[in-house]
Every structure is written in structure tokens, then in C-alpha cells.
Amino acid sequence: MTRFGGGMVFYQSSVAQAFDTVGLQTYSGVPTPMLTASPITRQTVGKTFSIAISTLGVGAAFQLAIIGWAFATRPANPLPSFSVTEPATGAHLVATAPANALPQPDFTNPFPEPPEHITTSSTGVAPTKPTPVPQRTPAPEPINAFEETMLKARLLRERGDMAQAITKFREACTMDPKNAMPIAELAATYEKMGNEDRAAEQWRKIIDIGESAGIYYQLGLSKLQNAQSADLRKATKPADTGAVDKSVAIEGIAAGATLGILPIHVQDEAEDGAAKRFTLHIPIKARPKTHMEVRDLVIHVLFYDIVDGQNVVQTSANVNTRWMAPPADWTEGDVEELAVEYQLPKTEAKGAKRENRKYFGYIVRIYYKQQLQAAAAEPERLAQQYPPPPTLPKDPDK
């Protein structure tokens, strides 16, 4: 044994000497046991240690099994789940991301947009959308006088001016006698007024034209068949024998009278060759539901002039009379209008004595069945100077 700085090192001459030496040796006077084995001892594993190591191994194996099962059963791409909520205003989809989902990038628009303003009522109901107004297709412009006359006639009928509409339709019939269109429009106007007889007369004219009238020919046949059926029903229906009550006065008609005069209108017309020219429009009204015998009607229209500012005499002017919607029979309505034209020529300068004649006024008298129905005068002085006879006179100038 060699000592180095407080330590000891044992040298063995041989392995057998180290393991075979037995007994005690004295070192520095102290007995010491002699080594019987190698200085590096081999310790044996205890039972407790073995049990602990086995337990830890089993636990580690169990954990590895659980981790492997979790990876085996995990879905490849987890998807977000959706739940549907149904509030009062409608259904909305709400996305719910799983707990293990990765955070999604923010795609918020960095440029702010103006807010959308939504107006609602106090009851919480969304306002109704405005209803678009359909655009009217403008009527085509007339290309000739015939189409222009037809257009005017239709407009007058829509306004309710049946008399003027009938006049325009008749003008169109005169422009193109073989055209069934204005005749059919005239028949439709009569039907709208309730005059079935006049309407049937126009449909017969279309049938007389023949199949060249096109669809109006078939329409005319259908209309006449319907009219014949209506006439048959009227023939089997008892007639109304009730008489018209004339004892009360109505607008424009005096008590006891059948006819009356509505306000008269004067339409002035300028003319270079006349000293005075105008048209007198006289609306004559019949009592409702009265069948007029036109042959028993007599109308007197008298014009008067004043000469040299003193004498009132009957006129020497040219006078023309016409009905605005002939023939006047009061079957289309209660009023028929008479137009009387007055034309006073200028005085010639060649005469030795020039007569200073000017228009003064007029008198209108209506007789039915030889009985005075109504009278009007302008100025009133004429009615006082020439009062109307109660019965039809033989001389209408008095």
C-alpha cells in the first residue's frame, strides 16, 4: 500500500491473493479486518425496486396506448359546426368553431364603407316597397285626315260629348265610304248611349258591305242576332202604358210643356265680306221618356236689324239652319242642338243712298202639336214688342 497525500492505494500482486486472504492484520497497532472480496462490491437488486420499475413501465405503456388511440380516431380536417336559430324576423345561420380549430385570419375591409340606412315603422314592420307606375304607351300620331278625324271622334266619346263624336264619325264615313271601321265606331257610340235601334242600323250597313269588312262583318252578324233576340223578348213583355207627367216643371221645361229651351249661345265669326256674322246655338230639351213626333214640331227663329239707329225691322241677312247631330228625334238623349247662321253683307258704296243697317237681336219660338212650348228673345224688348202667340200662327213673321 502506498500513501499519496493522505490517500491510500492498494496494490495487489495478484487476483488470487486479493480474494484468498483471510484474517486480521494489524496496522499501526490497531487490528483491522482483512478483506475477503474485491474492493468493488456487486450489489443485488431488491424486490421493492423491481415492483416499482414494473409499475412505471406498465403506466408508460398504458399512456402510449391512449395517445395512439387518440391519434388513430382523430378526424383529418375538423369542420365548424352550424346551429340554426329562428328569431321572429327569420332564420339565421350561426357558425360555431370547434375548440381545437386554428384561428382564422381577419379579412375585415380596411376601408370603411358608408352605413346603410334602413327606415322602419314604429311597429317594427319593414316599409313596403314603392309600386312602380306603369308607363303609358303614347298613341300613334295620325298620318292623314281620316285617322285624325277618327282620333278626335274617339276622344270626344271618351269625354262624354256623344253628339260631337257622332258628327266626327260621320265625317270619317264620308271620307272613306267603304271602310267599315268608322261605321262600327258609330254603332258602338249608339250602343253606349243606349240607342239600340240606331246601332242596329249601322251594323246593317256593315253587313251590306259584305265580307270585305273583315272582322266587322262577323261582329255585325253577331250584333244583329243579339238585337233580334232582344226584340223578341220585348215583344213578349207587357207594354208600359204609363203617361209622362207634364204637370211639374223641370230644368228648362215649363209645367204642362213637352219641350223647353236651354241657355242660348252666340258664336261670333269674323269674315271680310260681311258686316256681321255669327252662329246661334239653340239647345232644345225634351221631357224625359217622351216619344217625340218630329213632324209636329215647328221652330221659328227670327232676326231683327236696326236701320239708321231708329227703326227695328226684320233682317235682310242670309240665314242658314242646321241640326248639329241630324236627324233630331231626341232618341239619343234629351237635348238636340239647332245651329242658325246669321250673315249680314256689307253695304255697297255705289248706291245713291247708303242704308245704315246693323244687327239688333233675335226671337226663338218652339211649337209642338201647334201649342207654344217655349220662347226666348234678345234683347227682352223684342219679346215685349212681339209677344209669342199661344198657338201656331199661320204667319210666322208676326
Side-chain angles (χ1 to χ4, degrees):
M1 179 179 61
T2 308
R3 184 182 300 271
F4 292 93
M8 291 185 297
V9 177
F10 291 89
Y11 292 96
Q12 295 177 345
S13 60
S14 64
V15 175
Q17 183 182 359
F19 284 94
D20 291 340
T21 302
V22 179
L24 295 177
Q25 293 180 359
T26 301
Y27 179 75
S28 300
V30 180
T32 58
M34 299 296 292
L35 295 176
T36 60
S38 173
I40 302 175
T41 59
R42 181 179 299 174
Q43 298 180 358
T44 60
V45 178
K47 185 177 180 180
T48 303
F49 179 79
S50 299
I51 294 173
I53 291 299
S54 300
T55 304
L56 291 175
V58 172
F62 182 73
Q63 291 180 358
L64 290 175
I66 292 177
I67 294 172
W69 178 81
F71 275 99
T73 58
R74 178 184 179 184
N77 294 319
L79 298 177
S81 61
F82 295 91
S83 61
V84 179
T85 59
E86 297 184 356
T89 57
H92 301 277
L93 293 178
V94 180
T96 303
N100 57 351
L102 296 177
Q104 299 296 326
D106 186 11
F107 294 102
T108 306
N109 187 0
F111 303 100
E113 298 180 357
E116 181 181 1
H117 297 280
I118 301 177
T119 304
T120 57
S121 61
S122 58
T123 58
V125 180
T128 57
K129 295 182 178 180
T131 304
V133 179
Q135 295 183 353
R136 274 192 169 185
T137 304
E141 295 292 334
I143 59 176
N144 51 39
F146 174 80
E147 291 190 1
E148 184 178 0
T149 303
M150 291 290 294
L151 179 60
K152 290 181 179 179
R154 293 189 184 101
L155 292 176
L156 289 170
R157 183 175 60 190
E158 291 178 2
R159 296 175 189 169
D161 193 350
M162 299 301 179
Q164 293 296 329
I166 290 173
T167 302
K168 288 296 181 181
F169 281 131
R170 287 176 177 172
E171 291 180 7
C173 292
T174 304
M175 294 178 182
D176 192 356
K178 296 297 183 181
N179 194 335
M181 182 188 299
I183 304 176
E185 292 284 1
L186 191 59
T189 305
Y190 283 127
E191 289 177 352
K192 191 172 183 179
M193 297 171 62
N195 192 340
E196 301 296 337
D197 295 337
R198 287 291 183 87
E201 180 182 350
Q202 303 304 318
W203 292 121
R204 291 190 188 95
K205 291 180 181 180
I206 293 178
I207 294 175
D208 292 340
I209 295 176
E211 295 184 356
S212 61
I215 60 174
Y216 299 109
Y217 177 77
Q218 299 296 331
L219 184 60
L221 291 176
S222 176
K223 291 287 186 178
L224 286 182
Q225 290 176 359
N226 295 336
Q228 290 174 359
S229 300
D231 292 340
L232 183 60
R233 289 193 297 268
K234 288 180 181 179
T236 58
K237 184 179 179 181
D240 186 8
T241 57
V244 178
D245 184 12
K246 301 180 182 179
S247 61
V248 295
I250 62 176
E251 181 185 4
I253 303 177
T258 304
L259 297 169
I261 301 175
L262 297 180
I264 298 174
H265 172 64
V266 178
Q267 181 182 358
D268 291 323
E269 300 173 1
E271 185 177 347
D272 295 338
K276 179 71 173 179
R277 181 180 178 180
F278 64 87
T279 300
L280 200 66
H281 294 273
I282 309 171
I284 302 174
K285 181 178 180 180
R287 193 174 288 272
K289 298 181 180 180
T290 300
H291 177 68
M292 292 294 301
E293 299 291 343
V294 182
R295 62 178 178 271
D296 294 332
L297 175 64
V298 178
I299 302 174
H300 292 166
V301 180
L302 307 174
F303 291 99
Y304 293 87
D305 299 335
I306 184 169
V307 179
D308 297 332
Q310 296 179 357
N311 301 325
V312 177
V313 297
Q314 287 193 7
T315 186
S316 60
N318 300 322
V319 177
N320 297 315
T321 304
R322 72 180 189 278
W323 291 102
M324 295 299 294
D329 52 9
W330 286 267
T331 58
E332 301 174 0
D334 298 337
V335 179
E336 295 284 357
E337 185 174 314
L338 181 67
V340 184
E341 182 180 347
Y342 173 94
Q343 183 182 16
L344 180 64
K346 291 183 178 180
T347 304
E348 296 182 0
K350 297 181 180 179
K353 181 179 179 181
R354 295 183 61 184
E355 184 182 45
N356 186 10
R357 178 184 287 266
K358 295 182 180 180
Y359 166 75
F360 183 76
Y362 63 85
I363 291 178
V364 179
R365 299 169 184 168
I366 299 178
Y367 291 89
Y368 183 64
K369 296 185 181 297
Q370 307 218 352
Q371 299 297 318
L372 179 66
Q373 302 294 309
E378 180 62 35
E380 187 64 25
R381 167 186 168 183
L382 290 176
Q384 298 173 1
Q385 185 174 354
Y386 303 101
T391 59
L392 181 64
K394 295 182 180 181
D395 185 3
D397 296 337
K398 295 183 180 179

